[in-house]
Structures are given as C-alpha cells and as structure tokens.
C-alpha cells in the first residue's frame, strides 16, 4: 500500500521523505497555486527529491485537444510523473488515446463506482476517488471505496485505487482496511497517523522506571 503526500510544499516533503514511508506526491492546481515561483520548477524539484516516487501532476487545460498536448508535455518532464486528468466525459477519448500511448494516468475527481468502471475499462493506471468532498455534502464518501474495490477485483481490472480527499486519520484507517492500493494524505494527517499519545506515555513510564536503577551504561 503506497502513501503519497498531497502537497507541493517542498519543506514538508523533505521533512517527511526521510521516514522512508513516502512513496510519492500528488500535486494539483490548488496546492501548486500556493507556492512561490514557477510550478514547473517545483515539479522538477519534487521529481528529483523522490526519483522512485510516483509524482502526480494535473493538467490545467480545459479543451480536450489542448489537454492532450499539455498531458504529453507534463509526462515528458520526468519518467516518474503520472498525469492527473479529471474524470469528465469530455476527456474520455483523450484518456483512451493517452493510455494507448502508454502515458501513465491518474484520473482525479472520481466520485462514483460508474465513473470508476469507465476509467478501468479505458485501462488507466490510477483512479483517485475523493472521500472528503462527498462528506462536505453530508454523504458517506467511504461507502464507494469497497464498492470500487469489489468492482475492480470482480471484473479483474488492473487499475489501482488511490484514495484521495482524505480529511482524517479515520479515513486513512478505513481506506487501507478496504484494500486501496494507495492513499494521498496531507502532511498533517501523516504526522497524526505516525504518532500516538499512549506510545509517548509508555516511553515516559519506561524511562522513569529505568532511571530508578541509576545505571548509566547499558548494556
Ligand atoms: O489532491 C486531491 C485531493 O486529495 C484533494 O483533497 O481535501 O481538497 O478534497 P481535498
């Protein structure tokens, strides 16, 4: 199960990449719009920082023909880039063509099992179902993850589920138990996922008990 950071913040990426647990980065027009400097330079810096990571970079063109050309240019920036394309019916012919040309695709803004099915039939590498944005509408976004997992496994598709729009550690917990292939989470969620107050309390107790022995060199 891969863990991606959903950020373009290079300091956060540098800080957490040293854990050895970060398998890639998902950028999008929103998180890239909050950085200083040229987004292309930041993308290349991220690709260099994680040369074996899966780095997702989203198209920004809206017209299918322009989107196709932009997707090819994005893919050529680095071998470890997955091109993110929104799951819109206007883009299906372009997605089909890019898959046939072996461009690595991550379909974003996936909300329904039927959208997931169409993308699996086109043979895309990743689908990114959004959980949190359903919950913004007071709808259980997690319900679709096991349904997509069942659909892919039942029909033998090879497309991988990259759970996105993860707003809580519980979302991450539930998504991995549903067998997703990857999650993309904010640095904040990652930090919460790797820390626990009972672990901290346990270390404090072990240390306090050990210090009663007044042994300075062990073993
Ligand atoms: O980057 C894609 C997705 O993870 C965005 O999440 O929280 O903006 O819905 P969010």
């Amino acid at each position: 199960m891969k863990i991606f950071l959903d950020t373009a913040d290079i300091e956060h990426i540098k800080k957490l990449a040293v854990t050895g647990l970060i398998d890639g980065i998902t950028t999008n027009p929103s998180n890239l719009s909050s950085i200083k400097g040229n987004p292309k330079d930041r993308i290349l810096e991220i690709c260099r920082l994680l040369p074996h990571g899966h780095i997702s970079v989203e198209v920004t063109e809206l017209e299918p023909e322009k989107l196709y050309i932009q997707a090819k240019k994005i893919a050529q920036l680095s071998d470890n880039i997955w091109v993110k394309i929104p799951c819109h019916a206007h883009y299906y012919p372009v997605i089909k063509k890019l898959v046939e040309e072996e461009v690595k695709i991550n379909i974003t803004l996936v909300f329904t099992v039927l959208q997931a099915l169409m993308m699996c039939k086109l043979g895309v590498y990743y689908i990114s179902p959004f959980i949190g944005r359903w919950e913004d509408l007071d709808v259980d976004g997690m319900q679709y993850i096991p349904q997509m997992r069942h659909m892919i496994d039942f029909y033998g598709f090879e497309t991988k589920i990259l759970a996105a729009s993860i707003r809580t550690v519980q979302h991450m917990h539930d998504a991995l138990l549903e067998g997703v292939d990857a999650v993309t989470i904010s640095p904040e969620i990652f930090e919460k996922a790797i820390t626990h107050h009972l672990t901290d309390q346990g270390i404090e107790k072990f240390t306090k008990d050990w210090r009663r022995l007044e042994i300075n060199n062990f073993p």
Side-chain angles (χ1 to χ4, degrees), residues 110-111 113 129-136 138-150 161-180 182-183 185:
V110 174
F111 292 97
V113 177
F130 279 36
I131 299 167
R133 295 197 190 182
W134 270 119
E135 311 214 335
D136 294 341
D138 201 21
V139 173
D140 170 19
M142 188 58 68
Q143 65 181 305
Y144 302 111
I145 303 300
Q147 294 172 13
M148 292 177 187
R149 179 76 278 160
H150 171 71
I161 301 174
L162 196 177
S165 190
I166 288 180
R167 306 282 176 77
T168 65
V169 173
Q170 189 66 47
H171 278 165
M172 181 178 179
H173 171 102
D174 295 346
L176 72 89
L177 290 182
E178 295 299 350
V180 298
V183 294
I185 56 177

Side-chain angles (χ1 to χ4, degrees), residues 1-197:
M1 208 273 274
K2 293 188 180 296
I3 298 174
F4 299 158
L5 288 181
D6 199 25
T7 183
D9 182 304
I10 202 69
E11 293 312 316
H12 276 145
I13 295 169
K14 284 178 181 174
K15 176 186 174 189
L16 299 178
V18 297
T19 64
L21 295 170
I22 306 304
D23 301 300
I25 301 294
T26 55
T27 67
N28 59 48
S30 297
N31 63 35
L32 276 172
S33 69
S34 62
I35 69 162
K36 294 183 179 66
N38 184 330
K40 177 180 174 180
D41 296 338
R42 177 57 57 86
I43 288 162
L44 292 173
E45 186 178 9
I46 292 170
C47 290
R48 286 192 300 269
L49 199 60
L50 292 169
H52 305 295
H54 294 196
I55 313 302
S56 286
V57 180
E58 189 162 338
V59 293
T60 58
E61 293 291 346
L62 298 175
E63 289 305 314
E65 299 73 25
K66 290 181 179 177
L67 185 148
Y68 169 76
I69 292 166
Q70 186 183 50
K72 298 281 280 190
K73 287 182 180 175
I74 288 172
Q76 287 162 0
L77 289 176
S78 178
D79 289 344
N80 61 331
I81 281 182
W82 269 251
V83 180
K84 276 173 92 170
I85 300 175
C87 188
H88 194 287
H90 288 169
Y91 304 146
Y92 285 17
V94 168
I95 292 167
K96 177 178 182 293
K97 189 169 188 317
L98 288 165
V99 169
E100 288 167 352
E101 293 171 358
E102 298 186 345
V103 174
K104 299 190 294 289
I105 304 286
N106 172 8
I107 298 295
T108 189
L109 293 169
V110 174
F111 292 97
T112 69
V113 177
L114 293 182
Q115 284 180 314
L117 169 68
M118 306 310 172
M119 292 300 100
C120 290
K121 284 177 63 66
L122 291 181
V124 301
Y125 191 96
Y126 284 122
I127 51 169
S128 289
F130 279 36
I131 299 167
R133 295 197 190 182
W134 270 119
E135 311 214 335
D136 294 341
L137 305 177
D138 201 21
V139 173
D140 170 19
M142 188 58 68
Q143 65 181 305
Y144 302 111
I145 303 300
Q147 294 172 13
M148 292 177 187
R149 179 76 278 160
H150 171 71
M151 178 268 293
I152 289 171
D153 296 344
F154 185 83
Y155 291 105
F157 290 123
E158 294 184 4
T159 295
K160 299 180 185 308
I161 301 174
L162 196 177
S165 190
I166 288 180
R167 306 282 176 77
T168 65
V169 173
Q170 189 66 47
H171 278 165
M172 181 178 179
H173 171 102
D174 295 346
L176 72 89
L177 290 182
E178 295 299 350
V180 298
D181 301 283
V183 294
T184 190
I185 56 177
S186 67
E188 294 72 25
I189 296 287
F190 181 85
E191 299 263 17
K192 286 179 181 176
I194 62 173
T195 54
H196 198 284
H197 67 281

